[in-house]
Amino acid sequence: MGRTVKRFQFQLEPVLKYKQQTLDTLMTELSEAQMIAAAQEKVRDEAFARLAAYDAEFAEKRAAGFTNVEAIEYESGQQVLEQRARREQALLEQRQRELEAKRAEVIAARQETHAIEKLKEIRRGEYDAAAAKADEKAIDDLTAARRAQAAG
């Protein structure tokens, strides 16, 4: 009574592998997006720090007194630094939106991958239960055949 053991095969294994690869790729992209956002936050902070230092210098010069030409130059410089700081802030907000979008993609990919992994576990459990039942039946059949052979 030779019985061939059938190996468990999950039909969605290629899909699961693809989803896992996609998740790995998205995790890498998320990491890159986090680094880009962090770098942009640093650039933004530096721009606002330059503006604050310039404002402090402007206040000192104003207290010491300066000419109208110097005042116009400082105000012009201040406007440039304010524009740069606002531009860096806007760019940071864009990077943060991109980061959040990437996080959402990762979450969705994790959910999809988890659902397929859960289905695989369920199918594996069903396979194991059916295999155990088949083993029991084979043992029962063998036992019944031996009893019949011994009796008769």
Side-chain angles (χ1 to χ4, degrees):
M1 243 187 173
R3 189 172 87 90
T4 59
V5 178
K6 185 177 173 186
R7 218 176 96 226
F8 173 73
Q9 290 184 329
F10 183 55
Q11 290 181 348
L12 295 178
E13 192 67 38
V15 174
L16 178 58
K17 286 182 181 180
Y18 172 76
K19 292 294 186 181
Q20 288 169 333
Q21 289 172 348
T22 301
L23 178 58
D24 290 345
T25 300
L26 288 172
M27 292 295 290
T28 300
E29 291 173 2
L30 175 63
S31 178
E32 291 170 1
Q34 288 170 327
M35 288 188 296
I36 290 169
Q40 182 57 38
E41 187 171 4
K42 185 177 178 182
V43 169
R44 188 266 331 251
D45 290 346
E46 290 169 357
F48 276 103
R50 268 188 249 117
L51 177 61
Y54 194 81
D55 285 345
E57 182 182 339
F58 184 61
E60 284 179 24
K61 295 277 186 177
R62 188 178 9 196
F66 50 66
T67 66
N68 286 339
V69 172
E70 288 175 320
I72 291 170
E73 287 175 1
Y74 264 97
E75 286 177 2
S76 176
Q78 184 182 33
Q79 288 174 355
V80 168
L81 290 175
E82 284 175 349
Q83 288 173 351
R84 182 174 297 147
R86 284 194 301 269
R87 186 175 55 244
E88 298 302 342
Q89 176 64 34
L91 190 54
L92 174 60
E93 290 169 1
Q94 177 185 345
R95 298 291 185 235
Q96 289 171 334
R97 285 189 300 274
E98 291 168 358
L99 178 60
E100 289 308 312
K102 193 56 66 178
R103 277 190 182 124
E105 285 183 61
V106 167
I107 289 169
R110 275 188 182 151
Q111 289 172 341
E112 290 174 4
T113 303
H114 180 71
I116 296 171
E117 287 171 343
K118 189 70 175 168
L119 180 60
K120 182 179 180 179
E121 289 174 19
I122 291 168
R123 295 291 186 254
R124 180 62 195 226
E126 292 170 351
Y127 169 82
D128 289 344
K133 189 173 181 178
D135 288 345
E136 285 179 34
K137 184 178 180 336
I139 291 170
D140 290 346
D141 290 347
L142 182 62
T143 304
R146 284 194 180 158
R147 284 187 187 150
Q149 192 178 37

